[in-house]
Amino acid sequence: MKKITLIFLIFSGILQAQQKPNIIFILTDDQSYDLLGCTGNAIVQTPHIDKLANNGTLFTNAHVTSAICTPSRISILLSQYERKHAVNFNSGTSVSDTAWKNSYPVIMRNNGYYTGWIGKNHAPIGKGGYNSGLMEKSFDYWYAGHGHLGFYPKDNHDIFNDAIAFTQPEIINEGVDEFLDPNARKLKGALHFLEERPSDKPFMLSINFNLPHGASTSTMKQKDSDDTIYKTLYRDLEIPLHKNYIAKADIKTPKLPENLLHVEDRQTGYNYVDTPKDLKERYIRELQAMTGIDRLVGNLTAKLKALKLHKNTIIIFTSDHGLFGGQQGLGGKALCYEQTTHVPIIIFNPNTPKKNRGKKSDALVQTIDIAPTMLEMAGIKKPSSFQGKNISNLANGGKKEVRDYVFTENLWSTHFGNPRCESVQNKEWKYIRYYKNNNFSATKEIKYAKELGIPVNEMLYNMHDPGIAVYRDYIDAPLNNEEPVYEELYHLKKDPAELHNLVNNQEHAEVLNTLRAQWKIEITQARGTRKAEVFRYTNDLYPKGKH
């Protein structure tokens, strides 16, 4: 009798595991909301991603929490605002082991999921950040590089050297195939906890692109070995300039005051927005990259079907933030405007009733909602450290919304000229506040580095201990009554491009005061009450550390 009971319990456990959904999370890099067919782009070819949206739910009012790679990605992993997790390029910190235990990959692995991470990692985890090894050990399958991949990842990371392909989407595709298919070609560089994915366990796979990011599209070379997509696609079309584009030479009144946004110190990698010719070339590359990513999504869905996994695999798609392409004369990111904070979120669940598929939701959601949503779908309790909301009900056709306001922030205020800012918005209005920008000039640092023979990248990118205190004050000062030096108010329903600042319009004084009061509520909640769980991660402690 005991033997029969034991067999029954084992069988029940296997059955329960198989009933849990598989989850695939796809994260792109620097992808603005308008870079998909399903979000209104009439040029780009993204039929497979569009199909996910047409058979799932497209969130049309989704936002990131911080419009720059590292803090945004950590916010997704930990479901926390940057003000709480306190890790950025200028923070001098890495995510502590304690905080990492409450990341969605670790939680899901500890709850019976076979986990994989493929592509880019731009989150410093553990003591020593990218060199700690903690990230790699946290997955059953690892095929990724820390920091930028470039369009040709073999040029930057040895782990990809055994891949047949040379270009980023195709190398990532090889990793996806190996993770899913026991009969796929084995990649010598990939790290495996087990020889192959167990068929009796649900899986959670994170696919992370470094495209259409400016640093990767800048390295596209139309090599003979490149696919036709990356050589000729879109090049026979008349590519229009972005709406509201202004060339550098034509800027009469800067979008932001010159003493607030130091445009002359902007990273040179974004200078392509300054002229129509350079912008069009970069935009073509972004479109090509998106079509390459889309092809991977098509291959992925076909592979799931071939392996009979398609009926129980949820696919979630989003971007870590958007990017300016010269709109209103702006380049780069790290601001609180829609062009950089507004991203698509697509959730495709094959088990959603057909009548609820192909929906668009204008509910206010954020990328910190993805982790609690995945855990809910997996039947796993979320930790108290999460700040995001479960939006699985909205993805299944529900109407009850999870928030009335969205809060975004930029704490990456450095010698590259960006100001600190925060915004709070509802479906109709957005309020943005800025603080004094006292940062020393990157242009001057480059000048003196060259004069003294100091490597420019060390001057610009090394992070030292005093910077930790500066960053911590960035977090605390607004909560301690630091006053803004500049404010903006936009009527998003009438002015979605944020062209007309109404902050001084007395007609909207009541709206402004309401949003100012809500800002205090939102920033206080974003900060939380607990001390940030971080490790010191500066070049003073780790001379070879990358930031």
Side-chain angles (χ1 to χ4, degrees):
M1 185 65 181
K2 288 183 178 179
K3 186 176 181 181
I4 294 173
T5 303
L6 180 61
I7 292 172
F8 174 77
L9 289 173
I10 293 171
F11 178 77
S12 297
I14 292 173
L15 186 62
Q16 186 179 17
Q18 290 174 334
Q19 288 173 339
K20 283 182 174 288
N22 306 309
I23 300 176
I24 297 176
F25 175 45
I26 303 171
L27 182 66
T28 59
D29 200 346
D30 277 16
Q31 182 202 324
S32 299
Y33 179 81
D34 56 2
L35 266 177
L36 295 172
C38 61
T39 57
N41 192 304
I43 302 173
V44 73
Q45 297 175 28
T46 54
H48 303 293
I49 300 172
D50 297 345
K51 188 175 181 180
L52 285 182
N54 293 336
N55 290 310
T57 299
L58 169 63
F59 289 91
T60 61
N61 211 348
H63 288 76
V64 299
T65 52
S66 301
I68 189 166
C69 301
T70 286
S72 179
R73 287 170 181 251
I74 294 172
S75 289
I76 293 169
L77 284 161
L78 301 183
S79 185
Q80 293 179 356
Y81 293 95
E82 181 187 345
R83 237 178 191 84
K84 183 175 176 69
H85 69 63
V87 178
N88 201 327
F89 297 114
N90 59 322
S91 67
T93 53
S94 61
V95 176
S96 75
D97 296 28
T98 305
W100 181 239
K101 287 178 182 177
N102 282 328
S103 65
Y104 79 77
V106 173
I107 292 171
M108 296 188 79
R109 190 184 191 193
N110 289 340
N111 280 272
Y113 270 76
Y114 181 79
T115 60
W117 186 279
I118 298 173
K120 171 184 175 179
N121 172 49
H122 220 160
I125 308 296
K127 288 186 176 179
Y130 299 115
N131 294 321
S132 73
L134 179 58
M135 191 75 167
E136 293 90 326
K137 295 173 186 176
S138 300
F139 295 88
D140 297 302
Y141 180 88
W142 173 269
Y143 190 58
H146 298 298
H148 289 300
L149 302 187
F151 192 67
Y152 306 100
K154 293 180 184 180
D155 292 346
N156 302 304
H157 301 281
D158 292 342
I159 193 171
F160 302 118
N161 283 346
D162 185 50
I164 294 173
F166 295 93
T167 47
Q168 186 187 136
E170 289 62 43
I171 287 178
I172 290 176
N173 206 148
E174 289 186 45
V176 171
D177 284 347
E178 187 192 14
F179 177 87
L180 293 173
D181 190 350
N183 296 314
R185 177 178 177 270
K186 300 302 178 186
L187 296 161
K188 294 177 182 177
L191 305 179
H192 305 75
F193 179 74
L194 297 173
E195 197 62 32
E196 61 185 46
R197 179 178 61 81
S199 59
D200 61 343
K201 294 180 71 172
F203 64 80
M204 195 290 129
L205 174 62
S206 297
I207 304 171
N208 301 271
F209 289 96
N210 190 196
L211 286 169
H213 190 286
S216 285
T217 53
S218 70
T219 63
M220 296 172 74
K221 297 178 181 177
Q222 299 182 50
K223 294 182 178 180
D224 291 340
S225 57
D226 289 358
D227 189 274
T228 303
I229 287 175
Y230 311 124
K231 289 190 288 189
T232 61
L233 189 61
Y234 304 115
R235 293 192 175 277
D236 61 340
L237 302 178
E238 184 62 37
I239 303 294
L241 292 169
H242 298 309
K243 192 175 181 181
N244 303 311
Y245 172 79
I246 305 175
K248 182 179 180 181
D250 297 330
I251 296 173
K252 300 291 188 288
T253 304
K255 174 64 174 173
L256 289 168
E258 293 181 26
N259 64 347
L260 192 63
L261 177 62
H262 304 164
V263 177
E264 71 278 5
D265 293 318
R266 183 182 64 198
Q267 288 169 299
T268 56
Y270 299 117
N271 288 348
Y272 63 85
V273 305
D274 292 345
T275 66
K277 179 182 177 182
D278 289 344
L279 173 64
K280 286 184 179 181
E281 172 60 32
R282 186 58 62 90
Y283 187 45
I284 287 172
R285 296 182 184 197
E286 290 174 0
L287 296 171
Q288 292 173 338
M290 288 308 305
T291 298
I293 291 170
D294 183 77
R295 180 168 61 183
L296 180 146
V297 172
N299 293 341
L300 167 65
T301 54
K303 177 67 71 173
L304 291 172
K305 190 170 185 179
L307 296 173
K308 295 182 169 46
L309 297 168
H310 60 298
K311 292 183 179 180
N312 195 35
T313 300
I314 295 166
I315 301 176
I316 301 174
F317 179 97
T318 194
S319 172
D320 62 354
H321 51 75
L323 185 70
F324 271 104
Q327 295 92 338
Q328 301 182 70
L330 295 172
K333 45 213 173 188
L335 292 168
C336 291
Y337 293 125
E338 293 292 288
Q339 185 63 31
T340 52
T341 68
H342 184 202
V343 295
I345 292 181
I346 298 170
I347 299 180
F348 166 72
N349 184 347
N351 296 312
T352 296
K354 286 188 177 180
K355 65 178 182 179
N356 292 332
R357 296 188 194 179
K359 303 287 187 180
K360 290 183 178 180
S361 171
D362 72 343
L364 290 168
V365 299
Q366 292 195 267
T367 48
I368 55 169
D369 299 335
I370 290 171
T373 299
M374 291 193 294
L375 293 191
E376 176 68 24
M377 290 173 162
I380 302 169
K381 184 180 179 181
K382 71 175 184 180
S384 60
S385 59
F386 275 20
Q387 293 179 302
K389 310 290 186 181
N390 165 31
I391 60 173
S392 61
N393 185 53
L394 286 167
N396 286 326
K399 302 296 182 184
K400 187 175 181 181
E401 300 191 9
V402 296
R403 62 171 59 81
D404 296 320
Y405 295 93
V406 158
F407 176 77
T408 59
E409 59 189 343
N410 178 56
L411 294 167
W412 190 66
S413 180
T414 69
H415 44 213
F416 290 120
N418 289 310
R420 286 179 292 140
C421 54
E422 298 127 10
S423 74
V424 61
Q425 69 191 85
N426 56 25
K427 289 185 179 182
E428 187 168 2
W429 293 90
K430 178 189 279 190
Y431 164 65
I432 312 176
R433 57 194 281 141
Y434 299 83
Y435 303 95
K436 193 171 183 180
N437 189 347
N438 289 323
N439 290 300
F440 194 72
S441 166
T443 304
K444 291 180 179 179
E445 288 184 339
I446 293 169
K447 173 187 173 183
Y448 295 125
K450 289 179 177 178
E451 282 185 11
L452 298 170
I454 301 170
V456 170
N457 281 351
E458 287 187 17
M459 176 70 81
L460 292 177
Y461 295 104
N462 279 7
M463 180 68 203
H464 298 285
D465 289 340
I468 297 176
V470 173
Y471 176 83
R472 296 303 309 180
D473 194 57
Y474 285 174
I475 290 175
D476 294 337
L479 291 158
N480 294 328
N481 302 315
E482 180 183 15
E483 292 295 321
V485 296
Y486 190 74
E487 296 173 291
E488 293 174 306
L489 179 69
Y490 294 104
H491 195 175
L492 294 175
K493 278 207 168 180
K494 294 182 178 179
D495 180 24
E498 298 165 311
L499 299 175
H500 308 291
N501 181 11
L502 303 175
V503 76
N504 293 319
N505 189 321
Q506 288 304 307
E507 181 184 348
H508 305 301
E510 186 177 347
V511 172
L512 178 61
N513 289 331
T514 297
L515 291 176
R516 280 173 174 163
Q518 190 64 39
W519 162 82
K520 184 66 174 180
I521 294 170
E522 297 295 326
I523 193 173
T524 302
Q525 291 178 343
R527 174 61 188 90
T529 56
R530 296 182 62 181
K531 181 181 176 182
E533 296 178 316
V534 293
F535 289 137
R536 175 185 168 211
Y537 180 49
T538 63
N539 291 96
D540 301 302
L541 185 60
Y542 301 101
K544 295 183 179 180
K546 296 179 180 180
H547 301 90

